[in-house]
Amino acid sequence: MGRITARRPVTRLTVSDAGVESRRRPDALAVEEPLEIRVAGAPLAVTMRTPGHDVELAAGFLVSEGVISRGDEFRSAIHCGGPGTGDPSTGAGTEGNTYNVLDVSLAARVAPPSADITRAFYTSSSCGLCGKASIEAVRTVSSYDVTTDAASIDAAALLRLPDELRVHQAAFDKTGGLHAAGLFDAVTGEMLVVREDVGRHNAVDKVIGWAAVGDLLPLRGTVLQVSGRASFELVQKAVMAGIPILSAVSAPSSLAVELAESSGLTLAGFVRGTSLNVYTHPHRIVASRGQLDRAPHSEANAS
């Protein structure tokens, strides 16, 4: 799978009543490399990611940070040489393309991002400074109001999404070390796109970037299914892209629930097997049998 996976020798130990068996064998690892995102040649951010769909990753990051909100605001992107390797426009003095630097061009009408973009817009959970101010900032910056989205999905259909996502995790099958995010149509259940990455936030940015490049924003009437937990960061990204429903196979954080409640996003967690918890705005989850009108704390958490 190219630069997505790498082969490395490992020592496999098997413990049994007969003792310990040691065997040397090759193993597949998920590749993790830095990507520097530049805008008009100016460095903006560095993220550790799994190579692949880098243009989507950059576009999704810019949507998440409030720099752009429409596909036509993202003009183009090109991989260039690493830091200090010369002029990427001419190739003069370069020592080969590392494909770990991506230079983005935005539409002329788009203001360049602040040099201190994290503080200028809002802080993410990765920096440990989230709070009420962050929630208010997301509500202020987002171009889309998900409270007006009338999307709904049947509870049984929602429970099928994690398995559908898992079927399409080709890199995870080889490595066991990648997160996944998938976008689904809430009405038909159709899978629109799936992306994998070592970072759960990167997988979501790649999905949002796919939509941005295709000029599909806002993502009204969709469900974002993620393979792990639901953090503040993932809720914020969904809100910024206009996604009304976020579903996770694991638990949400307290701040993720607060942001989802405040923003009008439906947040479901522990979505697996035959049960799920609906933490916010349960009116979008339609119960085909019985009613989903109990408070979240009355639901039994999946283990």
Side-chain angles (χ1 to χ4, degrees):
M1 303 183 71
R3 295 174 68 216
I4 297 177
T5 63
R7 303 285 287 181
R8 293 290 187 274
V10 300
T11 300
R12 174 79 169 184
L13 300 178
T14 304
V15 180
S16 66
D17 292 340
V20 179
E21 177 188 355
S22 175
R23 184 162 59 95
R24 193 74 167 161
R25 70 171 197 179
D27 192 29
L29 303 177
V31 171
E32 183 176 29
E33 294 180 359
L35 176 69
E36 178 182 317
I37 300 172
R38 299 176 181 174
V39 176
L44 177 64
V46 176
T47 183
M48 300 302 296
R49 98 306 189 191
T50 300
H53 305 290
D54 286 346
V55 173
E56 294 176 353
L57 173 57
F61 175 80
L62 292 172
V63 172
S64 297
E65 295 295 340
V67 177
I68 63 173
S69 60
R70 296 169 50 89
D72 59 6
E73 295 175 341
F74 187 93
R75 195 171 69 183
S76 63
I78 185 171
H79 282 99
C80 53
T85 57
D87 182 355
S89 64
T90 65
T94 61
E95 298 174 1
N97 197 331
T98 64
Y99 295 96
N100 283 332
V101 178
L102 190 73
D103 197 5
V104 174
S105 296
L106 303 179
R109 67 180 184 277
V110 179
S114 165
D116 192 10
I117 190 170
T118 303
R119 296 297 183 267
F121 292 102
Y122 49 80
T123 53
S124 71
S125 59
S126 61
C127 67
L129 296 176
C130 291
K132 297 294 185 181
S134 299
I135 293 177
E136 291 305 315
V138 173
R139 294 180 64 186
T140 300
V141 172
S142 181
S143 299
Y144 309 118
D145 181 6
V146 298
T147 63
T148 63
D149 197 317
S152 65
I153 186 170
D154 186 86
L158 188 62
L159 284 167
R160 288 194 290 269
L161 298 190
D163 288 339
E164 183 69 16
L165 181 66
R166 180 67 184 83
V167 167
H168 291 82
Q169 291 182 248
F172 180 87
D173 287 337
K174 293 179 177 292
T175 66
L178 290 172
H179 294 282
L183 190 69
F184 295 82
D185 184 286
V187 175
T188 66
E190 176 189 2
M191 176 178 286
L192 304 176
V193 65
V194 173
R195 293 291 182 260
E196 293 181 279
D197 199 279
V198 291
R200 61 172 62 86
H201 57 289
N202 287 338
V204 171
D205 273 344
K206 287 178 178 180
V207 166
I208 294 173
W210 168 86
V213 172
D215 203 17
L216 300 176
L217 297 177
L219 290 169
R220 297 180 63 84
T222 62
V223 180
L224 178 64
Q225 177 67 54
V226 296
S227 61
R229 63 184 178 86
S231 63
F232 170 91
E233 190 175 27
L234 298 195
V235 171
Q236 124 190 331
K237 291 178 183 297
V239 172
M240 295 298 287
I243 298 171
I245 304 171
L246 172 60
S247 171
V249 300
S250 191
S253 69
S254 62
L255 201 60
V257 173
E258 288 183 42
L259 177 57
E261 180 65 39
S262 173
S263 302
L265 177 137
T266 296
L267 176 59
F270 294 103
V271 182
R272 41 179 139 152
T274 59
S275 66
L276 63 135
N277 289 351
V278 186
Y279 292 88
T280 62
H281 303 283
H283 64 280
R284 292 195 181 96
I285 312 299
V286 180
S288 55
R289 290 180 301 211
Q291 297 296 321
L292 283 178
D293 56 0
R294 291 177 291 172
H297 66 264
S298 67
E299 299 287 346
N301 285 350
S303 58

